[in-house]
Amino acid sequence: MALKIPNKLKNCANCGKMFVSSRGEKICRDCSIKEEEKEMAVLDYVREHQGSSISEVMEAMGVTDRFIKNMISKGLFANVERTDLYYPCQSCGKPIRNGTYCSDCLSKLRNETKKMADQMSIKLGLSNKPISQMSTIERLNMQAEREFARENNVKSQKSMYERIVNKRDNRGIGTKKK
């Protein structure tokens, strides 16, 4: 299901002109086109002057370091060979060419998130083993149990199978009459 963003009347962050933002844009269409043209000019300059630094590009093209760093984070220089345009990882400061974090920090972040999810599942009593070690069926069963408990305001540790069997027994279904 796609998230629908309503149209909003905004002032352009660059020129101040009013425009209708349908996809969360911060600048008007005219400024967006100018920005894209400026990005293409910077890319052409960097291709022609391989090995140029951010300060050299800023001076030659009349753009800010923020503009160039934004281009780097969008990955616009990823296909340009032999470029020295890097910016620091937000966690460790290691030079990177795209994204926000370097690959080392991303893997650390993933591992920490996985550990926290495992600890929370054990701490909340959702399971006696970490989520990362559960099979798909076990995870789906755990999710179904939580939804059932939420719907019925019940805090039960019984499995779905046990609840179904108990319901059958209480109604007399599946039992033989003598």
Side-chain angles (χ1 to χ4, degrees), residues 144-161:
E145 287 177 23
R146 277 185 273 156
E147 288 174 12
F148 178 83
R150 196 176 312 127
E151 288 173 6
N152 297 305
N153 295 326
V154 176
K155 290 189 177 182
S156 174
Q157 293 297 321
K158 294 180 181 178
S159 70
M160 285 296 281
Y161 176 77

Side-chain angles (χ1 to χ4, degrees), residues 120-163:
M120 288 303 293
S121 67
I122 292 171
K123 190 175 189 177
L124 294 172
L126 301 174
S127 173
N128 58 355
K129 68 174 152 176
I131 291 176
S132 60
Q133 295 175 6
M134 289 182 187
S135 69
T136 303
I137 293 172
E138 288 173 317
R139 278 185 258 148
L140 289 172
N141 188 28
M142 187 175 75
Q143 182 180 359
E145 287 177 23
R146 277 185 273 156
E147 288 174 12
F148 178 83
R150 196 176 312 127
E151 288 173 6
N152 297 305
N153 295 326
V154 176
K155 290 189 177 182
S156 174
Q157 293 297 321
K158 294 180 181 178
S159 70
M160 285 296 281
Y161 176 77
E162 290 173 322
R163 284 198 302 274

Side-chain angles (χ1 to χ4, degrees), residues 2-128:
L3 177 66
K4 185 174 180 181
I5 300 173
N7 294 341
K8 289 187 176 181
L9 192 60
K10 291 185 177 181
N11 284 348
C12 175
N14 288 352
C15 68
K17 183 173 73 174
M18 290 182 72
F19 72 103
V20 176
S21 172
S22 59
R23 287 179 252 126
E25 304 94 346
K26 294 182 179 170
I27 59 174
C28 67
R29 184 70 187 140
D30 294 337
C31 289
S32 178
I33 290 170
K34 289 177 188 174
E35 192 171 285
E36 287 173 12
E37 289 171 354
K38 194 185 291 187
E39 287 174 350
M40 298 315 290
V42 169
L43 279 171
D44 290 340
Y45 177 84
V46 170
R47 284 188 187 107
E48 291 172 11
H49 301 88
Q50 291 184 357
S52 52
S53 67
I54 290 178
S55 58
E56 293 169 346
V57 175
M58 285 172 40
E59 188 176 318
M61 299 302 298
V63 294
T64 63
D65 64 331
R66 186 175 185 177
F67 184 82
I68 294 173
K69 287 178 181 178
N70 188 28
M71 287 180 66
I72 296 169
S73 67
K74 288 181 184 177
L76 297 178
F77 296 109
N79 296 328
V80 179
E81 292 182 30
R82 293 184 49 224
T83 182
D84 293 334
L85 300 176
Y86 297 95
Y87 63 100
C89 166
Q90 283 194 353
S91 179
C92 69
K94 180 179 171 183
I96 55 176
R97 291 183 72 178
N98 59 1
T100 307
Y101 300 104
C102 66
S103 58
D104 295 336
C105 291
L106 275 175
S107 67
K108 286 178 188 175
L109 187 62
R110 282 188 198 108
N111 290 337
E112 288 176 15
T113 304
K114 186 177 175 182
K115 284 179 188 175
M116 288 175 59
D118 291 345
Q119 290 171 352
M120 288 303 293
S121 67
I122 292 171
K123 190 175 189 177
L124 294 172
L126 301 174
S127 173
N128 58 355

